[in-house]
Amino acid sequence: MNLVIYILRRLAISIPVLLVGTFLCFVMVAGTGDPLGELRQNPTISKEALAATAAKLGLDQGIVPRYFTWLGDFLSGNWGISIAQGNALAPVAPKVMAAFGVTLKLVVGAEILALIIGIIVGVLAAVKQYSIIDYLATTLAFLLFSMPIFCVAIVLKRYAIEINGWVRDLGLQDVLGNPWLRTTSPEQLKTDGVGDFITSTIGAYLLPTLSIMAISFAAYSRFQRASMLEVMSSDYVRTARAKGLGNGRVIFRHAFRNALIPVSTLFSVNFGSVLAGAIITETVFNWHGMGTLLVEAVSKNDTQVMMGWLVVIASSVIVANLIADLMYGILDPRIRVG
């Protein structure tokens, strides 16, 4: 029951924050330009038709009435319609959720792998402080930190193309003529059979997953190392050692769980930023996810799509932070949910 009350209390705090955030975003998005600008430049559209379209979309009202109209429609499941040319009057909700599903499948796998590997490397670096393992982990982390994600993605794509060329020259390319390391999204692949579908999907996910993993792994490993070193120098760990407990029991029973708390906080914050910032990776590997959707919406001043994008990303950040708060009570028994 305490857990349910805690979740409800956190949601009660998050909802006003989300409402204020959506209002500020709505004001900023509404001030970016005229959503009907492209239509106004079309000489075949009459002024009466433009006025009717503006009235239908609520663009003939003030900012505040428009926001509350949008909010009521959004809460009822009507996310509005796209006003961009080429997909005019298309519902926003299916478009945003389809893009969100594509990005979510990419980011979740990359972040979980980065978290697991980062924790393992961080613990090893802390336990073997100033050893060759620590120096290698530190060097790798700083190297990845210094490389922008677009650089990582482009380098991976370039070498993947070269490897595919070597495989083709050796006559090892698969029967469909597809490269082993895919540089496009899974929905653009032509597969034949379950086995080829599995290998093609793995190949399509491999490079963008590694691109996103690179920066996240560096952050998680460094935070885990620093947190582990701090916990291992604490009084209760020294007391456990003084009682004669083995090194493995001291590390994993007394130090490891408490050292995960800062990393869980970083994961919740980083997950939202990676989810919103996958634009470069999706562009390099031609994935049609949230990043591509945002670029298209901004370039066409499609306010309804931008607002749907912002709400989905903001809600994802709130959920990620809620999960991190719940993890605190699991990782540290001194933290009580209630």
Side-chain angles (χ1 to χ4, degrees):
M1 182 60 66
N2 288 339
L3 180 61
V4 175
I5 295 175
Y6 176 76
I7 294 175
L8 292 177
R9 187 166 63 241
R10 293 295 300 176
L11 290 176
I13 296 173
S14 301
I15 290 175
V17 174
L18 183 60
L19 290 175
V20 173
T22 56
F23 177 73
L24 294 177
C25 290
F26 189 88
V27 172
M28 289 187 291
V29 168
T32 56
D34 184 8
L36 301 180
E38 292 187 11
L39 294 178
R40 296 186 193 279
Q41 296 176 1
N42 191 337
T44 62
I45 299 178
S46 64
K47 293 183 179 180
E48 292 75 13
L50 285 173
T53 303
K56 181 178 181 180
L57 299 175
L59 298 177
D60 56 343
Q61 303 176 7
I63 291 293
V64 176
R66 284 169 55 190
Y67 170 74
F68 283 106
T69 300
W70 170 85
L71 181 62
D73 292 339
F74 191 90
L75 294 177
S76 64
N78 179 16
W79 292 19
I81 55 178
S82 175
I83 57 177
Q85 287 187 344
N87 56 350
L89 305 182
V92 169
K95 189 179 183 69
V96 174
M97 295 311 297
F100 181 67
V102 171
T103 301
L104 194 64
K105 288 187 292 185
L106 176 61
V107 170
V108 168
E111 283 296 287
I112 290 177
L113 289 174
L115 181 65
I116 294 174
I117 299 174
I119 288 175
I120 294 174
V121 173
V123 170
L124 288 176
V127 173
K128 303 292 184 180
Q129 188 179 17
Y130 303 130
S131 66
I132 185 64
I133 296 177
D134 187 19
Y135 288 131
L136 288 176
T138 301
T139 302
L140 179 60
F142 281 118
L143 177 63
L144 294 176
F145 265 133
S146 64
M147 296 179 64
I149 190 170
F150 73 87
C151 181
V152 177
I154 292 174
V155 169
L156 287 176
K157 186 172 183 177
R158 175 189 173 185
Y159 282 105
I161 294 174
E162 292 187 4
I163 292 174
N164 289 332
W166 298 337
V167 171
R168 184 178 60 253
D169 294 339
L170 293 174
L172 300 177
Q173 195 165 338
D174 59 38
V175 294
L176 293 179
N178 290 326
W180 283 11
L181 296 175
R182 321 293 182 176
T183 57
T184 57
S185 59
E187 61 266 21
Q188 296 175 323
L189 299 176
K190 295 181 179 180
T191 57
D192 183 15
V194 177
D196 187 64
F197 173 78
I198 294 175
T199 56
S200 298
T201 302
I202 293 175
Y205 275 88
L206 181 62
L207 297 179
T209 297
L210 290 176
S211 300
I212 296 177
M213 276 182 58
I215 309 300
S216 296
F217 158 77
Y220 295 146
S221 64
R222 297 307 297 167
F223 265 76
Q224 183 63 48
R225 178 186 182 275
S227 179
M228 196 73 181
L229 288 174
E230 182 180 356
V231 171
M232 290 178 65
S233 63
S234 60
D235 293 338
Y236 66 89
V237 172
R238 287 198 296 266
T239 302
R241 292 185 185 277
K243 290 180 178 180
L245 296 180
N247 191 47
R249 188 174 181 182
V250 170
I251 291 173
F252 293 104
R253 186 175 180 84
H254 295 274
F256 179 64
R257 287 177 60 179
N258 290 329
L260 285 176
I261 294 177
V263 181
S264 63
T265 302
L266 175 64
F267 177 79
S268 65
V269 176
N270 191 61
F271 183 82
S273 63
V274 171
L275 192 63
I279 300 174
I280 296 175
T281 303
E282 292 178 357
T283 302
V284 172
F285 296 104
N286 200 21
W287 281 62
H288 301 293
M290 294 293 278
T292 306
L293 180 67
L294 178 63
V295 171
E296 178 184 346
V298 171
S299 64
K300 296 182 178 180
N301 198 25
D302 199 341
T303 56
Q304 298 288 355
V305 174
M306 283 190 279
M307 285 304 303
W309 186 95
L310 290 168
V311 173
V312 169
I313 294 298
S315 301
S316 301
V317 172
I318 290 175
V319 171
N321 280 275
L322 178 60
I323 294 175
D325 290 341
L326 296 177
M327 288 296 297
Y328 295 158
I330 298 175
L331 295 173
D332 191 345
R334 296 171 298 180
I335 299 176
R336 290 291 179 261
V337 177

